[in-house]
Amino acid sequence: AQRVTQPEKLLSVFKGAPVELKCNYSYSGSPELFWYVQYSRQRLQLLLRHISRESIKGFTADLNKGETSFHLKKPFAQEEDSAMYYCALSGGGANNLFFGTGTRLTVIP
Amino acid sequence: ETGVTQSPTHLIKTRGQQVTLRCSSQSGHNTVSWYQQALGQGPQFIFQYYREEENGRGNFPPRFSGLQFPNYSSELNVNALELDDSALYLCASSLDPGIYEQYFGPGTRLTVT
């Protein structure tokens, strides 16, 4: 069975500090991992996906199959990064997403 | 390009009633997925429709059903509403059932009393 765990419900960092949002997953096959973000009063939107290996808005995430993790990182947090972040998994070629419970990131000016 | 739209925005129903939620997919998208997001939780997959057929279902009882129309818009129907059905219902569309980016709508907030 699929499972996505985001251990931190709330995370606060100061502007300019590094930020890491943790995500661990459980899946028997080869998963596709995603990070979705929801800014205040906006809809849920894709931030990045591991197969793209991109850096979006300064964020990166590396899939670590050994540790079954897909942590989201940014070296210098900005106030506009404050949002709700969800880690999600898709498996077996299907497009249905399994989401974690989310981490609310607050960047303190 | 028109984004995903959902209606209504909010809805209040009584336990035991039936409800229909609507979703218009983004232009050019033929796949619609529905999610339930309870308070403080991440979205949970209900089912997906591709070219008017159900194309995968999550762990939801049969009283949750859906439809997709030839223009790829979709409906979510819930019968015999229970208090635990109170949640935000999200619709997402994508280009194809494969692993493509899903574009989410703003959601419908359902309250069951």
Side-chain angles (χ1 to χ4, degrees):
Chain A
Q2 302 93 333
R3 173 171 283 191
V4 176
T5 303
Q6 294 180 252
E8 303 140 329
K9 275 199 173 295
L10 303 170
L11 181 63
S12 295
V13 300
F14 285 100
K15 178 182 173 181
V19 59
E20 180 179 59
L21 291 87
K22 291 183 168 52
C23 172
N24 289 88
Y25 68 90
S26 174
Y27 183 69
S28 56
S30 292
E32 299 290 343
L33 273 296
F34 307 82
W35 277 98
Y36 275 78
V37 62
Q38 188 166 26
Y39 300 103
S40 178
R41 298 189 189 86
Q42 294 187 28
R43 57 189 68 188
L44 197 59
Q45 59 186 284
L46 178 67
L47 179 62
L48 55 80
R49 53 201 301 178
H50 91 269
I51 58 173
S52 300
R53 297 183 179 275
E54 296 174 299
S55 173
I56 305 293
K57 300 184 178 183
F59 284 98
T60 59
D62 290 319
L63 179 60
N64 186 322
K65 292 186 178 180
E67 296 182 358
T68 60
S69 68
F70 187 57
H71 303 328
L72 184 67
K73 300 177 184 180
K74 185 170 182 177
F76 308 103
Q78 302 299 315
E79 290 180 62
E80 55 265 31
D81 297 329
S82 294
M84 192 74 178
Y85 291 81
Y86 292 96
C87 182
L89 174 156
S90 179
N95 199 16
N96 47 293
L97 294 166
F98 292 88
F99 285 87
T101 52
T103 297
R104 181 168 297 283
L105 173 66
T106 301
V107 180
I108 304 165
Chain B
E1 191 175 80
T2 307
V4 178
T5 60
Q6 292 186 243
S7 62
T9 306
H10 298 90
L11 202 53
I12 300 175
K13 289 286 189 179
T14 303
R15 190 172 54 183
Q17 286 186 316
Q18 177 265 342
V19 69
T20 297
L21 310 181
R22 294 178 175 82
C23 170
S24 290
S25 60
Q26 183 157 316
S27 176
H29 289 187
N30 60 23
T31 303
V32 172
S33 302
W34 285 92
Y35 294 84
Q36 180 195 67
Q37 186 173 19
L39 202 59
Q41 302 296 315
Q44 188 173 0
F45 175 69
I46 303 174
F47 44 56
Q48 181 182 87
Y49 276 82
Y50 169 59
R51 293 187 175 179
E52 304 177 58
E53 297 285 333
E54 188 177 287
N55 185 49
R57 189 180 183 93
N59 189 26
F60 280 81
R63 59 189 186 83
F64 284 79
S65 63
L67 280 175
Q68 188 178 32
F69 300 98
N71 66 354
Y72 303 131
S73 65
S74 177
E75 286 183 355
L76 164 66
N77 298 289
V78 187
N79 293 322
L81 283 167
E82 301 177 1
L83 296 178
D84 284 349
D85 296 333
S86 294
L88 181 68
Y89 288 84
L90 296 169
C91 165
S93 73
S94 55
L95 276 170
D96 209 65
I99 302 173
Y100 291 95
E101 178 175 354
Q102 295 197 16
Y103 292 79
F104 282 82
T108 293
R109 171 75 59 190
L110 173 65
T111 302
V112 182
T113 62

PDB file of all heavy atoms in Angstrom, chain B residues 73-86:
ATOM      1  N   SER B  73     -16.258  17.483 -18.981  1.00  0.00           N
ATOM      2  CA  SER B  73     -16.646  17.952 -17.662  1.00  0.00           C
ATOM      3  C   SER B  73     -17.107  16.748 -16.845  1.00  0.00           C
ATOM      4  O   SER B  73     -17.349  15.664 -17.400  1.00  0.00           O
ATOM      5  CB  SER B  73     -17.750  19.004 -17.749  1.00  0.00           C
ATOM      6  OG  SER B  73     -18.927  18.429 -18.278  1.00  0.00           O
ATOM      7  N   SER B  74     -17.229  16.937 -15.543  1.00  0.00           N
ATOM      8  CA  SER B  74     -17.489  15.778 -14.693  1.00  0.00           C
ATOM      9  C   SER B  74     -18.392  16.151 -13.527  1.00  0.00           C
ATOM     10  O   SER B  74     -18.486  17.321 -13.142  1.00  0.00           O
ATOM     11  CB  SER B  74     -16.156  15.222 -14.175  1.00  0.00           C
ATOM     12  OG  SER B  74     -16.353  14.132 -13.293  1.00  0.00           O
ATOM     13  N   GLU B  75     -19.043  15.129 -12.987  1.00  0.00           N
ATOM     14  CA  GLU B  75     -19.849  15.277 -11.782  1.00  0.00           C
ATOM     15  C   GLU B  75     -19.414  14.252 -10.756  1.00  0.00           C
ATOM     16  O   GLU B  75     -19.020  13.125 -11.101  1.00  0.00           O
ATOM     17  CB  GLU B  75     -21.333  15.038 -12.089  1.00  0.00           C
ATOM     18  CG  GLU B  75     -22.025  16.148 -12.822  1.00  0.00           C
ATOM     19  CD  GLU B  75     -23.503  15.860 -13.030  1.00  0.00           C
ATOM     20  OE1 GLU B  75     -23.964  14.746 -12.685  1.00  0.00           O
ATOM     21  OE2 GLU B  75     -24.186  16.747 -13.548  1.00  0.00           O
ATOM     22  N   LEU B  76     -19.497  14.661  -9.505  1.00  0.00           N
ATOM     23  CA  LEU B  76     -19.320  13.743  -8.379  1.00  0.00           C
ATOM     24  C   LEU B  76     -20.650  13.695  -7.645  1.00  0.00           C
ATOM     25  O   LEU B  76     -21.194  14.741  -7.278  1.00  0.00           O
ATOM     26  CB  LEU B  76     -18.211  14.242  -7.456  1.00  0.00           C
ATOM     27  CG  LEU B  76     -18.140  13.626  -6.051  1.00  0.00           C
ATOM     28  CD1 LEU B  76     -17.787  12.151  -6.125  1.00  0.00           C
ATOM     29  CD2 LEU B  76     -17.099  14.362  -5.207  1.00  0.00           C
ATOM     30  N   ASN B  77     -21.182  12.511  -7.467  1.00  0.00           N
ATOM     31  CA  ASN B  77     -22.432  12.332  -6.741  1.00  0.00           C
ATOM     32  C   ASN B  77     -22.172  11.558  -5.457  1.00  0.00           C
ATOM     33  O   ASN B  77     -21.439  10.559  -5.470  1.00  0.00           O
ATOM     34  CB  ASN B  77     -23.432  11.548  -7.591  1.00  0.00           C
ATOM     35  CG  ASN B  77     -23.778  12.276  -8.869  1.00  0.00           C
ATOM     36  OD1 ASN B  77     -24.465  13.284  -8.857  1.00  0.00           O
ATOM     37  ND2 ASN B  77     -23.279  11.767  -9.984  1.00  0.00           N
ATOM     38  N   VAL B  78     -22.757  12.028  -4.385  1.00  0.00           N
ATOM     39  CA  VAL B  78     -22.651  11.311  -3.119  1.00  0.00           C
ATOM     40  C   VAL B  78     -24.061  11.092  -2.588  1.00  0.00           C
ATOM     41  O   VAL B  78     -24.818  12.051  -2.407  1.00  0.00           O
ATOM     42  CB  VAL B  78     -21.808  12.075  -2.074  1.00  0.00           C
ATOM     43  CG1 VAL B  78     -21.595  11.204  -0.839  1.00  0.00           C
ATOM     44  CG2 VAL B  78     -20.476  12.518  -2.659  1.00  0.00           C
ATOM     45  N   ASN B  79     -24.401   9.820  -2.384  1.00  0.00           N
ATOM     46  CA  ASN B  79     -25.715   9.469  -1.842  1.00  0.00           C
ATOM     47  C   ASN B  79     -25.621   9.229  -0.338  1.00  0.00           C
ATOM     48  O   ASN B  79     -24.539   8.965   0.199  1.00  0.00           O
ATOM     49  CB  ASN B  79     -26.222   8.201  -2.518  1.00  0.00           C
ATOM     50  CG  ASN B  79     -26.530   8.433  -3.989  1.00  0.00           C
ATOM     51  OD1 ASN B  79     -27.029   9.475  -4.374  1.00  0.00           O
ATOM     52  ND2 ASN B  79     -26.206   7.450  -4.814  1.00  0.00           N
ATOM     53  N   ALA B  80     -26.778   9.301   0.314  1.00  0.00           N
ATOM     54  CA  ALA B  80     -26.871   8.973   1.737  1.00  0.00           C
ATOM     55  C   ALA B  80     -25.752   9.643   2.528  1.00  0.00           C
ATOM     56  O   ALA B  80     -24.936   8.981   3.179  1.00  0.00           O
ATOM     57  CB  ALA B  80     -26.829   7.456   1.924  1.00  0.00           C
ATOM     58  N   LEU B  81     -25.721  10.955   2.457  1.00  0.00           N
ATOM     59  CA  LEU B  81     -24.632  11.716   3.074  1.00  0.00           C
ATOM     60  C   LEU B  81     -24.481  11.411   4.555  1.00  0.00           C
ATOM     61  O   LEU B  81     -25.474  11.254   5.287  1.00  0.00           O
ATOM     62  CB  LEU B  81     -24.877  13.214   2.885  1.00  0.00           C
ATOM     63  CG  LEU B  81     -24.562  13.762   1.492  1.00  0.00           C
ATOM     64  CD1 LEU B  81     -25.141  15.156   1.321  1.00  0.00           C
ATOM     65  CD2 LEU B  81     -23.061  13.758   1.248  1.00  0.00           C
ATOM     66  N   GLU B  82     -23.216  11.337   4.967  1.00  0.00           N
ATOM     67  CA  GLU B  82     -22.875  11.128   6.370  1.00  0.00           C
ATOM     68  C   GLU B  82     -22.110  12.356   6.866  1.00  0.00           C
ATOM     69  O   GLU B  82     -21.534  13.096   6.071  1.00  0.00           O
ATOM     70  CB  GLU B  82     -22.030   9.859   6.515  1.00  0.00           C
ATOM     71  CG  GLU B  82     -22.718   8.615   6.025  1.00  0.00           C
ATOM     72  CD  GLU B  82     -21.831   7.380   6.105  1.00  0.00           C
ATOM     73  OE1 GLU B  82     -20.676   7.497   6.561  1.00  0.00           O
ATOM     74  OE2 GLU B  82     -22.314   6.293   5.709  1.00  0.00           O
ATOM     75  N   LEU B  83     -22.092  12.513   8.182  1.00  0.00           N
ATOM     76  CA  LEU B  83     -21.412  13.672   8.748  1.00  0.00           C
ATOM     77  C   LEU B  83     -19.935  13.717   8.324  1.00  0.00           C
ATOM     78  O   LEU B  83     -19.388  14.792   8.060  1.00  0.00           O
ATOM     79  CB  LEU B  83     -21.509  13.660  10.278  1.00  0.00           C
ATOM     80  CG  LEU B  83     -22.911  13.784  10.860  1.00  0.00           C
ATOM     81  CD1 LEU B  83     -22.854  13.720  12.389  1.00  0.00           C
ATOM     82  CD2 LEU B  83     -23.592  15.062  10.409  1.00  0.00           C
ATOM     83  N   ASP B  84     -19.313  12.540   8.225  1.00  0.00           N
ATOM     84  CA  ASP B  84     -17.893  12.470   7.847  1.00  0.00           C
ATOM     85  C   ASP B  84     -17.628  12.843   6.393  1.00  0.00           C
ATOM     86  O   ASP B  84     -16.469  12.948   5.985  1.00  0.00           O
ATOM     87  CB  ASP B  84     -17.343  11.064   8.104  1.00  0.00           C
ATOM     88  CG  ASP B  84     -17.095  10.808   9.576  1.00  0.00           C
ATOM     89  OD1 ASP B  84     -17.160  11.795  10.360  1.00  0.00           O
ATOM     90  OD2 ASP B  84     -16.866   9.655   9.959  1.00  0.00           O
ATOM     91  N   ASP B  85     -18.677  13.024   5.613  1.00  0.00           N
ATOM     92  CA  ASP B  85     -18.487  13.464   4.231  1.00  0.00           C
ATOM     93  C   ASP B  85     -18.191  14.956   4.151  1.00  0.00           C
ATOM     94  O   ASP B  85     -17.852  15.471   3.081  1.00  0.00           O
ATOM     95  CB  ASP B  85     -19.726  13.141   3.387  1.00  0.00           C
ATOM     96  CG  ASP B  85     -19.994  11.660   3.267  1.00  0.00           C
ATOM     97  OD1 ASP B  85     -19.014  10.867   3.366  1.00  0.00           O
ATOM     98  OD2 ASP B  85     -21.159  11.277   3.089  1.00  0.00           O
ATOM     99  N   SER B  86     -18.329  15.645   5.260  1.00  0.00           N
ATOM    100  CA  SER B  86     -18.003  17.074   5.297  1.00  0.00           C
ATOM    101  C   SER B  86     -16.518  17.239   4.974  1.00  0.00           C
ATOM    102  O   SER B  86     -15.652  16.690   5.668  1.00  0.00           O
ATOM    103  CB  SER B  86     -18.292  17.651   6.682  1.00  0.00           C
ATOM    104  OG  SER B  86     -19.670  17.619   6.959  1.00  0.00           O
TER     105      SER B  86
END
